[in-house]
Amino acid sequence: LKIELDCFPCIFRQSLEAGRMATDDQELIREIMNEYAQMVPKIADDAMGPELGRRTQEIIKRKTGVDDPYKEYKELHIERAEKLYPEIKEIVEETDDPLFASLAVAGAGNSIDAGVSLDVDVKQKVKAGIDQGFADSNYEVFRDRLAAGASVLIVGDNSGEAVFDRLLLEQLQQVGAEVIYAVREEPILNDVTLKEAKEIGLNEKAELVTTGSRAPGLLLANATSDFRQIFDQAKLVISKGQGNYEGLSEVERPIFFLLQAKCEVIARKLGVKVGEQVFKLIE
Amino acid sequence: LKIELDCFPCIFRQSLEAGRMATDDQELIREIMNEYAQMVPKIADDAMGPELGRRTQEIIKRKTGVDDPYKEYKELHIERAEKLYPEIKEIVEETDDPLFASLAVAGAGNSIDAGVSLDVDVKQKVKAGIDQGFADSNYEVFRDRLAAGASVLIVGDNSGEAVFDRLLLEQLQQVGAEVIYAVREEPILNDVTLKEAKEIGLNEKAELVTTGSRAPGLLLANATSDFRQIFDQAKLVISKGQGNYEGLSEVERPIFFLLQAKCEVIARKLGVKVGEQVFKLIE
């Protein structure tokens, strides 16, 4: 997806948020914001959102020397999610359709997103996710295509939600799917990298790969050839979160997009309301 | 109040909102946003919020040639408020303390603010305002100081809320106060100017004056000497809204600030939560 005008103020706010995570030096944060502002007129109208996000976070890393501004934030959210995990696992496994419930939880976990808002009642969101399901769902198509032995590529998004992705990986394993879980190449916002994925133990449930993309949303143009091959060969692809949707929604292959609409721009594209979640096949 | 770093993205968003009110030309809106972005690094750390707002709206007026981008928006909100007015008037007059209720309504009407968010259920807000009163209130001091014949200067804010200010003017008249109602010198955002004040009929309940300030919040440095005199001589001053609070909160004279906290920055300054309203004396 190309950026819309609304993205500029939103990512400006994000630059402030991330700047504050990286440093307490108000002058330095102001310099970061000034540099973002100076960059705005140079951004092409057809730039991609994740690319603007990547360039913004690069300013912060360069100016502050902090390679992973969201480190503590990610740890806190993983910890919180781990605390909730046993209870959520029980709820999922007791439903009539645990695969569906695990998808709903994996989507609801997407509300733990530093890029949009830091303040979220995760438990309430996850439970509501199971109860309400999806505003737009292609779950039945997914289930039909998920024959035993199918290969599923999941493109991960935020670190906190990756804890709940374990439930989805378990459910996919139970139907005999081989799962590959893709993470960001380097720290970007609160997105999951190899470090967090291993900490969470996703390596025990899936093969972990990095994409090569350093943006807060997968841009195939920046992906490694190894990842491109995995992406092209996977029978099913689940893309999690808004950033990956922005990067992948116009790619020519069937992809199931699992995300919450967190802003008006994306909600409008998806035809849902802000806050609603979808499991939408685009092919 | 000096701007905080949070103000930059917020007023950036406001520039987009106002740009869209002034024109449908996407390229022109992008140019407005680029000009705002280029201005950011030049804004002094100790600039005032209303000054940044004024400069931003000047970009829009200059680029689009539209002198009053919020014209239709103001008309719509005045119309909506007028529809609700009879019902709200009845509620106010039936309370035990109509003066208090009229202050609460005048404050709650402040939620009709284009600068912060366009989408507000006015009726619900106004009713809740009466029920909940103020998170921080110096109403009793105000009532005590309001002896018969006292002069009260009200510094108005948005156009929609000015409809409900009629109730406050009526209540002040009933206790024998002479009321002066001050409006912006020129159209700025959805703020009330002489045009709207007369349309609403405030001239029948109070003496109308303009301040000389063209910012979306009164800055005394830009006020006319006539207004300065009125301001200095008024026995009581009620300053409505966030913009006027930003402009006047450090001025050395007692002022009753009647406003809703619409962002974290102002809520923190006031010691309340976002969405709460106050009637706070600073002297």
Side-chain angles (χ1 to χ4, degrees):
Chain A
L1 288 182
K2 292 169 193 168
I3 46 162
E4 300 213 3
L5 293 172
D6 308 74
C7 303
F8 290 117
C10 183
I11 298 182
F12 198 15
R13 187 193 48 67
Q14 209 178 82
S15 78
L16 172 58
E17 175 188 290
R20 282 179 173 153
M21 294 223 187
T23 180
D24 290 330
D25 182 338
Q26 298 305 300
E27 279 181 40
L28 192 55
I29 299 172
R30 176 76 204 262
E31 282 177 30
I32 289 165
M33 295 183 78
N34 287 349
E35 195 165 328
Y36 174 85
Q38 282 159 334
M39 178 175 73
V40 165
K42 297 172 201 153
I43 301 294
D45 286 335
D46 62 352
M48 304 280 272
E51 181 58 20
L52 182 56
R54 184 190 65 75
R55 290 178 63 173
T56 304
Q57 297 303 313
E58 272 185 7
I59 294 172
I60 293 160
K61 290 184 188 180
R62 177 165 41 76
K63 284 266 185 196
T64 64
V66 177
D67 186 54
D68 189 1
Y70 287 77
K71 186 165 178 281
E72 284 171 33
Y73 177 86
K74 286 188 283 188
E75 281 165 12
L76 177 72
H77 275 268
I78 289 172
E79 197 180 301
R80 274 196 211 167
E82 289 287 6
K83 252 185 213 162
L84 288 172
Y85 186 80
E87 186 184 347
I88 303 297
K89 184 177 162 80
E90 205 177 315
I91 295 172
V92 165
E93 289 174 352
E94 281 171 3
T95 60
D96 292 337
D97 190 345
L99 176 61
F100 178 81
S102 71
L103 277 166
V105 166
N110 185 234
S111 56
I112 316 169
D113 183 356
V116 176
S117 172
L118 299 178
D119 221 12
V120 164
D121 182 340
V122 178
K123 187 168 171 180
Q124 183 270 329
K125 283 272 180 186
V126 169
K127 285 186 171 175
I130 299 175
D131 288 346
Q132 293 159 18
F134 300 101
D136 186 351
S137 172
N138 291 115
Y139 170 65
E140 290 181 13
V141 181
F142 177 78
R143 199 190 48 198
D144 292 346
R145 291 190 187 175
L146 186 70
S151 62
V152 181
L153 168 65
I154 298 175
V155 184
D157 188 21
N158 305 311
S159 295
E161 71 183 82
V163 171
F164 298 114
D165 290 348
R166 277 210 310 255
L167 289 170
L168 174 58
L169 300 186
E170 283 172 11
Q171 293 301 322
L172 290 172
Q173 278 186 327
Q174 286 196 12
V175 295
E178 275 178 44
V179 188
I180 298 176
Y181 192 94
V183 298
R184 307 277 185 245
E185 195 66 33
E186 282 182 3
I188 181 84
L189 297 175
N190 64 335
D191 290 0
V192 62
T193 68
L194 269 187
K195 179 176 173 291
E196 292 83 31
K198 284 180 185 166
E199 193 180 321
I200 292 165
L202 296 186
N203 50 324
E204 293 163 20
K205 316 273 180 187
E207 182 189 342
L208 297 183
V209 296
T210 62
T211 61
S213 174
R214 287 160 167 81
L218 176 54
L219 298 169
L220 286 184
N222 306 329
T224 57
S225 59
D226 282 357
F227 179 77
R228 270 309 296 250
Q229 204 172 353
I230 292 167
F231 183 81
D232 291 338
Q233 289 176 355
K235 192 175 165 213
L236 299 173
V237 173
I238 298 175
S239 160
K240 294 199 66 195
Q242 207 164 280
N244 289 325
Y245 172 72
E246 289 178 71
L248 296 174
S249 66
E250 284 153 11
V251 169
E252 289 207 359
R253 74 147 287 161
I255 300 175
F256 289 89
F257 291 97
L258 177 58
L259 72 151
Q260 287 203 350
K262 288 174 184 161
C263 65
E264 283 296 343
V265 171
I266 298 294
R268 204 164 49 236
K269 294 276 179 200
L270 291 169
V272 301
K273 290 181 199 146
V274 171
E276 287 185 335
Q277 64 173 333
V278 304
F279 184 57
K280 189 185 181 82
L281 172 61
I282 301 182
E283 53 187 346
Chain B
L1 288 181
K2 293 169 191 166
I3 46 163
E4 301 213 3
L5 294 172
D6 308 74
C7 303
F8 290 117
C10 183
I11 298 182
F12 198 15
R13 185 192 51 67
Q14 209 178 81
S15 77
L16 172 59
E17 176 187 289
R20 283 178 173 154
M21 295 224 186
T23 180
D24 289 331
D25 182 338
Q26 298 305 300
E27 278 181 40
L28 192 55
I29 299 172
R30 176 75 202 263
E31 281 176 31
I32 288 166
M33 295 183 77
N34 287 349
E35 196 165 327
Y36 175 85
Q38 282 159 335
M39 178 175 73
V40 166
K42 297 172 201 154
I43 301 294
D45 286 334
D46 63 353
M48 304 279 274
E51 181 58 20
L52 182 57
R54 184 190 64 77
R55 290 178 64 172
T56 305
Q57 297 303 312
E58 271 186 7
I59 294 171
I60 293 159
K61 290 184 188 180
R62 177 165 41 77
K63 285 266 184 195
T64 64
V66 177
D67 185 53
D68 189 1
Y70 287 78
K71 187 165 177 281
E72 284 171 33
Y73 176 86
K74 287 188 282 189
E75 280 165 12
L76 176 72
H77 275 268
I78 288 172
E79 197 180 301
R80 274 197 212 168
E82 289 287 6
K83 251 185 214 160
L84 288 173
Y85 186 79
E87 186 184 347
I88 303 296
K89 184 177 162 79
E90 205 177 316
I91 295 172
V92 165
E93 289 174 352
E94 281 171 3
T95 61
D96 292 337
D97 189 345
L99 176 61
F100 178 82
S102 71
L103 277 165
V105 166
N110 185 234
S111 56
I112 316 169
D113 182 355
V116 176
S117 173
L118 299 177
D119 220 12
V120 164
D121 182 340
V122 179
K123 187 168 172 179
Q124 183 269 329
K125 283 271 180 185
V126 169
K127 284 186 172 176
I130 299 175
D131 289 345
Q132 293 160 18
F134 300 101
D136 186 351
S137 173
N138 292 115
Y139 171 64
E140 290 181 12
V141 182
F142 177 78
R143 200 189 49 198
D144 291 346
R145 292 190 188 176
L146 187 70
S151 62
V152 181
L153 169 66
I154 299 175
V155 185
D157 189 22
N158 305 312
S159 296
E161 71 183 81
V163 171
F164 297 113
D165 290 348
R166 278 212 308 258
L167 288 170
L168 175 58
L169 301 186
E170 283 172 11
Q171 293 301 321
L172 291 172
Q173 277 185 327
Q174 286 196 12
V175 295
E178 275 177 43
V179 188
I180 299 175
Y181 193 94
V183 298
R184 307 277 185 245
E185 195 66 34
E186 282 181 2
I188 181 85
L189 297 174
N190 64 336
D191 291 1
V192 62
T193 68
L194 269 187
K195 179 176 174 290
E196 291 83 31
K198 285 180 185 167
E199 193 180 320
I200 293 165
L202 296 186
N203 49 325
E204 293 163 19
K205 316 273 180 189
E207 182 190 342
L208 297 182
V209 296
T210 62
T211 61
S213 173
R214 288 162 167 80
L218 177 54
L219 298 168
L220 287 185
N222 306 330
T224 57
S225 58
D226 282 357
F227 179 77
R228 269 310 295 251
Q229 205 173 352
I230 292 167
F231 183 81
D232 292 336
Q233 289 176 357
K235 192 174 164 212
L236 299 173
V237 174
I238 299 174
S239 160
K240 294 198 66 195
Q242 207 164 281
N244 289 324
Y245 172 72
E246 289 177 71
L248 296 175
S249 66
E250 284 154 10
V251 169
E252 289 207 359
R253 75 145 287 160
I255 300 175
F256 289 89
F257 291 96
L258 178 58
L259 72 152
Q260 286 202 352
K262 288 175 184 159
C263 66
E264 283 296 343
V265 171
I266 298 293
R268 205 164 48 235
K269 294 275 179 202
L270 291 168
V272 300
K273 290 179 198 146
V274 171
E276 287 186 334
Q277 64 172 333
V278 304
F279 185 56
K280 189 186 182 81
L281 172 62
I282 301 182
E283 52 188 348

